Amino acid sequence: MDTGSLSQYVVGRVKAGVAKAEVKEELLAVGWSEEEADAAYRDGVIALGIPVPSEGNRPTLSRKSSTADIIVNLFSFILLGIVATALGTLYFGIIGKAFPDPLSGMGYYGESAAMSSIHYSIAALLIGFPLYYAAMRIWFRKFREDEGRTESKLSKWLTYIVLLSASVTIVGDLITVVFTFLQGEITARFFFKSLTVLAIAGIIFGFYFLERRKIQYRKDIPRTVFRNFGIAVAAVVALGIVLGFFAGGSPETARKRSFDAQRVNDLSSLSSCIESYATDLGQLPGALAELEKSSMYSYCSDSMRDPETGAEYGYRIVTSQRMQGAARVGEFELCATFALPSSDADRSPYGGDIWSRHGAGRQCDTVTAQLGTIAPTAPQGGSVTFPVSNPIK
């Protein structure tokens, strides 16, 4: 039986009221392939007079995007903003670590904030990028499987806004680079940051330019083009995450730095408490427990213990009192055990804080406190006495 006879057979079965599934089952049972059976059924129903859609009348048969399509598309744009911002922040942090600027004056807390931004960017990319990738796959699959589907006006507007923003960013970035070069102020740090902005904006513009040609203008762009594009972007993201772990440290390193930062704050606060005690009472406390017992200095107990181990910080009186010019001073030592050595940027933003510069392990620093003058007390015997500090332990 040739294909013409097969079509006539299908026509007869359809006229007889036989369902498509039964007709296909009959054809498959005698050896026709599934593709041949489908083609025969199509030819048969066409022979019955069913009109075939053409390029001229297909738009009238198009179907608008559903609410789910609009939500997926809108969600993808939100994720795009998260991913683009996180990727830029991550590479900026990596570049800042690789090319430190001595004029930036980042300081200890600025360094800590930079590490936090790197870790936050890594977290945003680990969550946001796979979701964005999945949302775009769903978006393309819906239009690939249903050629009559049309997108909403909101999707078109948002896409063209993204294209416009990417274009303006590219032009502005290039103008800034050329201007800085002509001024003779371009540095490696500035160049790589500008290149990062240009690369991210270029990737976004290139992707959505191809997306418009595929979705809106129905151009025949192979799936491999978008697949290779996605692989390249995924490689850029993966590289940034790996470099980010080197620049910002592992989670364990970040935890240790957080504990060390708290130790620095504790020692600075505890030192201030002891100096206030010395100024008010005219002597150094014999032990940290004396601060806890005093109602005036009980708040100092919040800074007396290591945040990780709970052990009390080391305290020792070096010099109970001595004259320094016309002033009476005392010297004390505070000690703490740090997990990591401080970096070059680990200094107080106000300057002069000795606690922010430290090595790893047990570290001690000596502080000179001014002993205040308090009113002498006269016991019943009539002699005047002054408070005397405890001996060095």
Side-chain angles (χ1 to χ4, degrees):
M1 184 182 293
D2 58 19
T3 56
S5 301
L6 183 61
S7 299
Q8 291 300 319
Y9 173 79
V10 173
V11 170
R13 300 298 287 164
V14 172
K15 287 182 178 181
V18 180
K20 177 184 177 180
E22 294 183 23
V23 175
K24 285 188 62 176
E25 186 176 351
E26 292 172 353
L27 297 178
L28 293 174
V30 298
W32 292 97
S33 68
E34 187 170 353
E35 291 78 8
E36 291 170 330
D38 286 332
Y41 190 86
R42 180 179 181 277
D43 293 339
V45 294
I46 290 175
L48 288 172
I50 295 179
V52 178
S54 63
E55 292 298 327
N57 64 12
R58 182 171 291 276
T60 62
L61 303 175
S62 61
R63 289 170 297 282
K64 293 183 178 180
S65 296
S66 65
T67 303
D69 297 336
I70 297 174
I71 294 299
V72 169
N73 189 245
L74 183 60
F75 183 56
S76 71
F77 283 115
I78 296 174
L79 290 172
L80 174 65
I82 294 173
V83 170
T85 302
L87 190 61
T89 303
L90 176 59
Y91 273 97
F92 271 36
I94 295 170
I95 293 168
K97 288 289 292 183
F99 303 95
D101 185 1
L103 298 179
S104 64
M106 179 178 289
Y108 182 84
Y109 300 107
E111 177 79 3
S112 177
M115 297 302 100
S116 296
S117 68
I118 289 177
H119 291 149
Y120 187 85
S121 298
I122 291 175
L125 289 173
L126 288 174
I127 301 299
F129 183 73
L131 290 176
Y132 175 75
Y133 184 81
M136 294 311 299
R137 281 184 61 89
I138 294 173
W139 176 253
F140 279 107
R141 186 171 66 245
K142 286 183 176 293
F143 285 88
R144 184 175 64 250
E145 295 177 350
D146 187 356
E147 296 182 357
R149 185 181 296 271
T150 59
E151 61 181 328
S152 66
K153 291 183 178 180
L154 176 62
S155 298
K156 291 182 180 179
W157 274 103
L158 289 175
T159 303
Y160 281 109
I161 288 174
V162 169
L163 284 170
L164 177 62
S165 300
S167 303
V168 172
T169 301
I170 292 172
V171 173
D173 184 70
L174 291 175
I175 291 174
T176 303
V177 170
V178 173
F179 173 76
T180 306
F181 175 76
L182 294 176
Q183 292 288 101
E185 299 175 357
I186 195 166
T187 61
R189 179 189 178 100
F190 173 83
F191 173 78
F192 283 112
K193 286 189 175 183
S194 300
L195 185 61
T196 298
V197 174
L198 181 63
I200 294 174
I203 289 172
I204 294 174
F205 181 88
F207 175 76
Y208 279 97
F209 176 79
L210 293 174
E211 187 265 356
R212 285 296 84 196
R213 289 175 59 83
K214 179 70 173 180
I215 300 299
Q216 184 175 352
Y217 298 105
R218 306 291 182 176
K219 298 297 182 181
D220 186 18
I221 300 177
R223 294 178 60 183
T224 54
V225 173
F226 291 99
R227 183 182 297 113
N228 294 336
F229 205 104
I231 293 174
V233 175
V236 172
V237 172
L239 177 62
I241 292 174
V242 172
L243 295 177
F245 274 115
F246 281 103
S250 64
E252 181 182 2
T253 301
R255 180 177 175 82
K256 290 180 179 179
R257 288 193 181 279
S258 297
F259 278 129
D260 282 349
Q262 185 60 47
R263 293 180 182 106
V264 169
N265 291 334
D266 287 347
L267 291 176
S268 181
S269 299
L270 187 56
S271 176
S272 298
C273 285
I274 296 173
E275 291 181 72
S276 296
Y277 183 99
T279 300
D280 294 338
L281 302 183
Q283 63 180 10
L284 294 171
L288 295 180
E290 293 185 15
L291 298 175
E292 292 183 288
K293 294 177 182 178
S294 172
S295 59
M296 291 179 59
Y297 303 100
S298 58
Y299 68 92
C300 299
S301 60
D302 296 336
S303 306
M304 290 183 183
R305 298 187 179 278
D306 187 282
E308 183 177 15
T309 65
E312 192 175 83
Y313 291 117
Y315 169 73
R316 181 176 71 91
I317 297 178
V318 178
T319 303
S320 59
Q321 61 177 335
R322 63 179 175 83
M323 298 304 297
Q324 184 172 295
R328 194 164 59 95
V329 299
E331 295 175 325
F332 64 92
E333 181 183 74
L334 287 178
C335 301
T337 301
F338 292 92
L340 300 171
S342 60
S343 63
D344 293 337
D346 290 344
R347 59 174 62 89
S348 169
Y350 308 104
D353 191 342
I354 60 176
W355 313 111
S356 60
R357 304 297 294 266
H358 57 78
R362 185 174 177 80
Q363 303 291 313
C364 301
D365 281 297
T366 302
V367 179
T368 300
Q370 185 169 349
L371 304 179
T373 302
I374 61 174
T377 57
Q380 294 181 351
S383 61
V384 177
T385 61
F386 292 88
V388 180
S389 63
N390 293 334
I392 299 176
K393 296 183 179 180

